[in-house]
Amino acid sequence: MSIPDLADVRTCGFPGCDQPVDLTSGVGRPAGYCADPAHNRAAAWRARRAEASPDARPAADDKLPVDAARQRASALRAQTSGMVELLQQQLAVLLDELRTLADPDAAEAQIEAVTSDAAEQVASATARANRAEAATRKAEAERAEADAAAEEAAVQVDELRPVLATLEQRAADLDSEIATANAANALAAIEIATLTAQVAGLTAENAAAAAQLAEATTLATTATAAKDEALAAARDAATRADTALGRAERAEAETSSTRDLLDQARTDGESARAEALVLTGRLATAISERDSATAEAERERSHGEQRVTDVRDALNSQIAQLRADLEQARTNESAQRTRTEPKKPRTPQD
């Protein structure tokens, strides 16, 4: 048995199959596929088609590939005809554009337009350069002015330093004066409190005087009542005397025996008159005492009111003086602070 040459061994024609071709004897065309019954011409064509076109295809293409190819060829021919017409139109447009590109008049027009634009750009650039130069000169002038202003400000600062030192010393003096004024204000507050206490004491004294006046008024009222009682008693005594005299006169007229009674009645009348005189004296004394008490109470009230008025006026005067001193101190402090504020240096705009 002879060993076949390896170079004559053919592999299966199915894509991806490395098996040798089935060499089983038979008639007709030599076999080109292996012994696998699934590896045949139709299956190999479908496999190659699937590898060449990985997109999914309809199942009818696998069943009737020739008819499907004929239909697709017809569609592609129609599309190609339309594309040829479009290409002809585009070719005409292209030729027109190429003629314009080769036209010297068009080139001359473009050169003229470009030259005009370039001239405008040059003029604009020249104007910008002129403006930039003017701005540079202005900036240099402003810088020179700023340098001069800075030098002037430095000179002013040197001149103001002694003034500032003087103002600081003055401010320290003002602080000392303010402290003194505050101490004076504290003393004034103490004095005001003392005077307020004195006013309270005088008010209490005035109340006591008013109480005394009320008591004197009560005494006067009592004396008036006593006077009224004495007057009533005197009138009663006079009435009794008149009655006794009447009885005596009637008794003397009727009978001489009644002279003794008349004398007695006269004696009673004289006694009544004497009693009336005594009561009248007491009444005068009571009236005098009432008038004296009223006058004394009036003098005490007037004296108390005068003392209260004098103390109140003195307190108001002292309070007004203290307020004026405080206002003057505040005014002096404000003026000193205004003078001690350093002057602002002059700016270039000034």
Side-chain angles (χ1 to χ4, degrees), residues 237-238 241-242 245 265-280:
D242 292 337
L245 288 174
R266 288 176 178 174
T267 302
D268 294 335
E270 292 294 333
S271 298
R273 287 191 180 92
E275 186 177 357
L277 291 174
V278 171
L279 291 175
T280 302

Side-chain angles (χ1 to χ4, degrees), residues 53-127:
S53 300
D55 297 337
R57 293 178 179 272
D61 292 352
D62 294 337
K63 293 180 179 180
L64 302 173
V66 177
D67 293 339
R70 185 182 298 111
Q71 292 177 0
R72 285 195 296 274
S74 299
L76 290 174
R77 184 172 61 250
Q79 293 178 2
T80 303
S81 299
M83 292 176 65
V84 168
E85 293 177 358
L86 179 62
L87 289 175
Q88 289 176 353
Q89 295 176 1
Q90 295 293 331
L91 181 60
V93 175
L94 177 61
L95 291 175
D96 190 13
E97 296 296 335
L98 290 175
R99 291 190 189 95
T100 302
L101 180 62
D103 190 356
D105 294 335
E108 183 67 24
Q110 181 173 350
I111 291 171
E112 183 179 356
V114 170
T115 303
S116 177
D117 293 340
E120 291 179 357
Q121 292 178 1
V122 169
S124 177
T126 303

Side-chain angles (χ1 to χ4, degrees), residues 2-349:
S2 62
I3 299 174
D5 190 1
L6 295 177
D8 295 337
V9 176
R10 293 183 299 143
T11 59
C12 180
F14 193 87
C17 182
D18 296 333
Q19 297 296 324
V21 175
D22 185 11
L23 298 177
T24 303
S25 60
V27 295
R29 186 177 180 179
Y33 299 93
C34 64
D36 189 353
H39 291 181
N40 51 36
R41 288 187 179 89
W45 180 82
R46 293 189 185 94
R48 287 192 297 270
R49 184 179 179 84
E51 290 179 357
S53 300
D55 297 337
R57 293 178 179 272
D61 292 352
D62 294 337
K63 293 180 179 180
L64 302 173
V66 177
D67 293 339
R70 185 182 298 111
Q71 292 177 0
R72 285 195 296 274
S74 299
L76 290 174
R77 184 172 61 250
Q79 293 178 2
T80 303
S81 299
M83 292 176 65
V84 168
E85 293 177 358
L86 179 62
L87 289 175
Q88 289 176 353
Q89 295 176 1
Q90 295 293 331
L91 181 60
V93 175
L94 177 61
L95 291 175
D96 190 13
E97 296 296 335
L98 290 175
R99 291 190 189 95
T100 302
L101 180 62
D103 190 356
D105 294 335
E108 183 67 24
Q110 181 173 350
I111 291 171
E112 183 179 356
V114 170
T115 303
S116 177
D117 293 340
E120 291 179 357
Q121 292 178 1
V122 169
S124 177
T126 303
R128 287 197 299 271
N130 293 332
R131 288 195 297 271
E133 185 178 359
T136 302
R137 289 195 298 269
K138 183 178 180 181
E140 290 178 353
E142 291 179 352
R143 184 180 64 183
E145 292 179 358
D147 293 338
E151 293 177 358
E152 183 179 357
V155 173
Q156 291 180 356
V157 168
D158 293 336
E159 293 177 354
L160 290 174
R161 282 177 181 172
V163 178
L164 180 60
T166 304
L167 292 176
E168 290 177 352
Q169 182 62 34
R170 183 57 181 167
D173 296 339
L174 285 176
D175 292 336
S176 178
E177 292 178 0
I178 290 170
T180 304
N182 291 332
N185 289 335
L187 293 176
I190 294 173
E191 292 179 358
I192 290 172
T194 303
L195 293 175
T196 303
Q198 292 179 1
V199 169
L202 292 175
T203 303
E205 292 180 0
N206 190 16
Q212 292 178 0
L213 178 60
E215 184 178 0
T217 303
T218 303
L219 292 175
T221 303
T222 304
T224 302
K227 181 193 73 172
D228 294 337
E229 291 178 358
L231 288 175
R235 292 191 187 96
D236 191 12
T239 301
R240 289 198 305 271
D242 292 337
T243 302
L245 288 174
R247 286 198 304 270
E249 289 175 356
R250 285 194 302 272
E252 186 177 1
E254 290 176 354
T255 180
S256 59
S257 61
T258 58
R259 292 185 182 274
D260 296 332
L261 295 174
L262 180 58
D263 294 334
Q264 184 65 34
R266 288 176 178 174
T267 302
D268 294 335
E270 292 294 333
S271 298
R273 287 191 180 92
E275 186 177 357
L277 291 174
V278 171
L279 291 175
T280 302
R282 290 180 180 177
L283 176 61
T285 302
I287 292 172
S288 177
E289 290 177 355
R290 184 200 63 182
D291 295 337
S292 298
T294 303
E296 183 66 20
E298 186 66 21
R299 285 194 301 273
E300 289 294 332
R301 185 178 64 81
S302 299
H303 183 64
E305 290 179 353
Q306 184 63 34
R307 290 178 62 188
V308 171
T309 302
D310 294 339
V311 172
R312 185 181 292 110
D313 293 339
L315 288 175
N316 291 332
S317 177
Q318 292 179 3
I319 291 172
Q321 183 63 34
L322 290 173
R323 287 178 178 174
D325 294 340
L326 181 59
E327 186 67 24
Q328 184 65 31
R330 289 177 178 174
T331 303
N332 294 335
E333 178 184 357
S334 177
Q336 292 296 335
R337 287 182 177 176
T338 303
R339 289 196 296 270
T340 54
E341 290 180 356
K343 296 182 179 179
K344 295 182 179 179
R346 295 176 58 189
T347 59
Q349 288 78 6

